Amino acid sequence: MSNRSYIGGEMEQNNSESKKLATLFKVFGDDTRVKILVSLAEGDKCVSEIVSATNVSQSAVSHQLKLLKDSKLVKNEKEGRVITYSLADSHVHTIINMGLEHIREPE
């Protein structure tokens, strides 16, 4: 049974796409970043709300948010002095939901 649906067919043979995909998945390899992404999947939040939701220090949250922004998984919006963070797009939601669905499958 094959569920292949790569956009544009097969992955590029020059390894460019495979390297980019591996880099993307590495971002999900950190528990703190996953906690932040799951928290943001529930709704937009400022740093203090993310700290409360994840039980992670403010400095760690800020550091990880920068990495998540650099990876284009999280975006922010500044209104006055308040910066609100959210998932970058529906693809990030899908990745999180598919990952959770996969780990929750019965063995």
Side-chain angles (χ1 to χ4, degrees):
M1 180 176 163
S2 177
N3 283 337
R4 285 192 228 178
S5 62
Y6 308 126
I7 297 188
E10 295 296 319
M11 193 177 297
E12 288 180 9
Q13 294 300 314
N14 65 8
N15 292 329
S16 172
E17 286 186 334
S18 63
K19 287 179 182 178
K20 288 177 183 178
L21 189 57
T23 300
L24 173 67
F25 283 127
K26 283 180 187 177
V27 176
F28 290 92
D30 180 86
D31 182 52
T32 299
R33 288 192 291 266
V34 170
K35 286 179 183 178
I36 292 169
L37 290 168
V38 170
S39 173
L40 292 175
E42 297 168 354
D44 301 355
K45 292 180 174 62
C46 65
V47 171
S48 63
E49 292 170 322
I50 297 169
V51 167
S52 294
T54 60
N55 200 26
V56 175
S57 72
Q58 186 271 329
S59 61
V61 167
S62 294
H63 175 72
Q64 298 302 338
L65 281 169
K66 181 186 179 336
L67 293 172
L68 291 167
K69 278 183 59 182
D70 291 347
S71 299
K72 299 178 182 163
L73 295 172
V74 168
K75 63 183 179 180
N76 67 336
E77 188 174 306
K78 188 172 184 176
E79 194 170 313
R81 294 181 64 197
V82 177
I83 301 174
T84 303
Y85 293 87
S86 61
L87 296 182
D89 57 37
S90 64
H91 298 113
V92 183
H93 261 284
T94 300
I95 294 168
I96 292 167
N97 288 330
M98 295 300 288
L100 287 170
E101 183 179 319
H102 180 73
I103 64 169
R104 292 174 177 164
E105 285 181 350
E107 292 183 25

